[in-house]
Amino acid sequence: MRSFLLDSLVAPCFEIRSTAGMADFGISAGQFVAVVWDKSSPTDALKDLVVKLQAVTGREGRVSVENISQLLQSAHKESSFDIVLSGVIPGSAVLHSVEILAEMARILRPGGRLFLREPVETAVVDNGKVKTAAKLCSALTLSGLVEVKELQQESLSPAEIQSVQEHLGYHSDSLLSVQVTGKKPNFEVGSSSQLKLSIAKRSSPSVKPAVDPAAAKLWTLSANDMEDDSLDLIDSDELLDPEDLKKPDPASLRAPSCGEGKKKKACKNCTCGLAEELEKEKSSEQMSSQPKSACGNCYLGDAFRCASCPYLGMPAFKPGEQVLLSSGNLSDA
């Protein structure tokens, strides 16, 4: 008898709250609705809400139920639902992270709405777990929703207070339950649209504007002025001197040597050509330092070389090929 009276008191309360909630949600036939729940949501209340939503959406609509801990791993495509309900089940205490809010915004269709309930703090407490109502609205805005607004605030029921303490491990006397909504913009993220610009063509005036005779004519030159015999024009070629017409000497165009007056030394990343000249001079000095053959048969090998040939013991080489001799060979020779 006591159980029957308790059920008869609780059921009408849930009936009134659920019916009013669905009317506020704006759910109609043919819509796709997602219900997000967590471990604090009573199972019977969840089933009852799903049955009522299915009756409203009809056969053409669809009601999907998703656990909030599995929402990020779900295979829902973007723009899948018209309405997303989260934490609206009586007796539940659901906290929404930034990632969860972004995922809810992703699966909403353009123009779709998100309705959620969440326990919030009214006092300034640095806990990092329970947000204030202002921070909750800011989190919805940062997730990409627009027209974010707070619908209502109410005290937590005893069942919700117990749920917060058991499932969230949070104890506070300054908690309220707040219901917030947000709308997804009427476009998808990354979408593009062609802009239609209507630029009217300006009609060219048939009559030229009159010139003020009092205006200064310092910088004006017309065809009539060109035909004036009194106009003295200067030929640009007459401004050149005979020295300007002479072809310059290539030696004068060459950059001065690096370190002029001292021993020639090319700069790093030399661009004046001194580095190439020094390399050629070094090669020529090495060639001149090599002994010259008196008989002309040194390159043929030891069988054709003289007894005093500095190339004795060295293999044959091609005529004109540079062969470097050590200082020891030169001294022996």
Side-chain angles (χ1 to χ4, degrees):
M1 183 66 179
R2 182 179 180 182
S3 176
F4 173 78
L5 291 176
L6 183 61
D7 293 340
S8 62
L9 291 175
V10 174
C13 179
F14 176 70
E15 180 73 22
I16 294 172
R17 190 171 182 179
S18 299
T19 304
M22 281 188 289
D24 295 337
F25 299 153
I27 301 175
S28 58
Q31 287 186 328
F32 284 38
V33 181
V35 179
V36 182
W37 61 282
D38 72 340
K39 59 183 179 180
S40 66
S41 304
T43 306
D44 295 338
L46 175 62
K47 292 180 180 179
D48 197 359
L49 178 60
V50 171
V51 170
K52 288 179 172 60
L53 290 173
Q54 290 175 344
V56 175
T57 55
R59 294 182 178 180
E60 297 180 356
R62 188 182 69 184
V63 179
S64 300
V65 181
E66 190 70 56
N67 191 298
I68 194 170
S69 61
Q70 302 296 326
L71 183 60
L72 297 177
Q73 288 77 29
S74 64
H76 296 300
K77 297 181 180 180
E78 57 185 27
S79 304
S80 300
F81 298 98
D82 301 292
I83 302 291
V84 174
L85 307 177
S86 180
V88 299
I89 303 171
S92 63
V94 182
L95 297 182
H96 302 83
S97 63
V98 177
E99 294 79 12
I100 292 296
L101 294 176
E103 179 65 15
M104 291 179 179
R106 186 188 69 86
I107 63 178
L108 269 175
R109 291 176 178 173
R113 281 199 167 273
L114 167 66
F115 296 90
L116 61 86
R117 293 179 66 89
E118 182 173 329
V120 296
E121 269 284 1
T122 57
V124 180
V125 180
D126 188 12
N127 56 76
K129 179 180 289 187
V130 180
K131 299 183 283 291
T132 61
K135 290 186 177 180
L136 179 59
C137 294
S138 299
L140 264 72
T141 303
L142 293 176
S143 65
L145 300 181
V146 296
E147 300 181 13
V148 177
K149 57 184 178 180
E150 181 182 326
L151 297 180
Q152 65 177 2
Q153 282 188 2
E154 59 184 5
S155 302
L156 271 67
S157 63
E160 292 172 340
I161 295 177
Q162 183 179 359
S163 179
V164 170
Q165 295 175 355
E166 291 180 356
H167 298 94
L168 302 181
Y170 188 79
H171 300 268
S172 176
D173 297 331
S174 57
L175 291 178
L176 288 178
S177 177
V178 63
Q179 181 173 330
V180 184
T181 182
K183 176 185 176 183
K184 186 172 183 177
N186 293 324
F187 55 85
E188 191 56 75
V189 176
S191 60
S192 60
S193 177
Q194 184 178 3
L195 297 178
K196 296 181 181 180
L197 302 177
S198 57
I199 302 177
K201 295 183 179 180
R202 297 181 179 179
S203 58
S204 57
S206 57
V207 181
K208 294 183 179 180
V211 180
D212 186 6
K217 295 184 178 181
L218 182 61
W219 300 106
T220 58
L221 184 65
S222 64
N224 297 329
D225 296 330
M226 299 293 292
E227 296 175 358
D228 193 358
D229 297 335
S230 62
L231 184 64
D232 186 15
L233 296 179
I234 301 177
D235 188 2
S236 59
D237 294 336
E238 296 179 357
L239 300 176
L240 298 176
D241 297 332
E243 294 293 332
D244 298 331
L245 299 176
K246 291 182 180 180
K247 185 178 180 179
D249 185 12
S252 63
L253 301 178
R254 184 178 177 183
S257 301
C258 300
E260 187 174 358
K262 301 179 181 179
K263 185 178 179 180
K264 291 183 179 181
K265 184 178 180 181
C267 301
K268 187 178 181 181
N269 300 327
C270 180
T271 58
C272 66
L274 180 60
E276 289 79 3
E277 287 188 5
L278 294 179
E279 188 65 27
K280 291 180 181 179
E281 292 178 1
K282 185 178 181 181
S283 301
S284 61
E285 289 177 0
Q286 290 179 352
M287 292 292 296
S288 60
S289 63
Q290 298 295 324
K292 296 183 180 179
S293 174
C295 62
N297 297 327
C298 297
Y299 69 93
L300 296 176
D302 288 345
F304 301 92
R305 293 169 181 165
C306 305
S308 61
C309 182
Y311 294 100
L312 283 175
M314 298 183 66
F317 53 89
K318 296 180 181 180
E321 182 180 0
Q322 181 181 358
V323 180
L324 300 179
L325 296 177
S326 64
S327 58
N329 290 341
L330 293 176
S331 60
D332 294 342

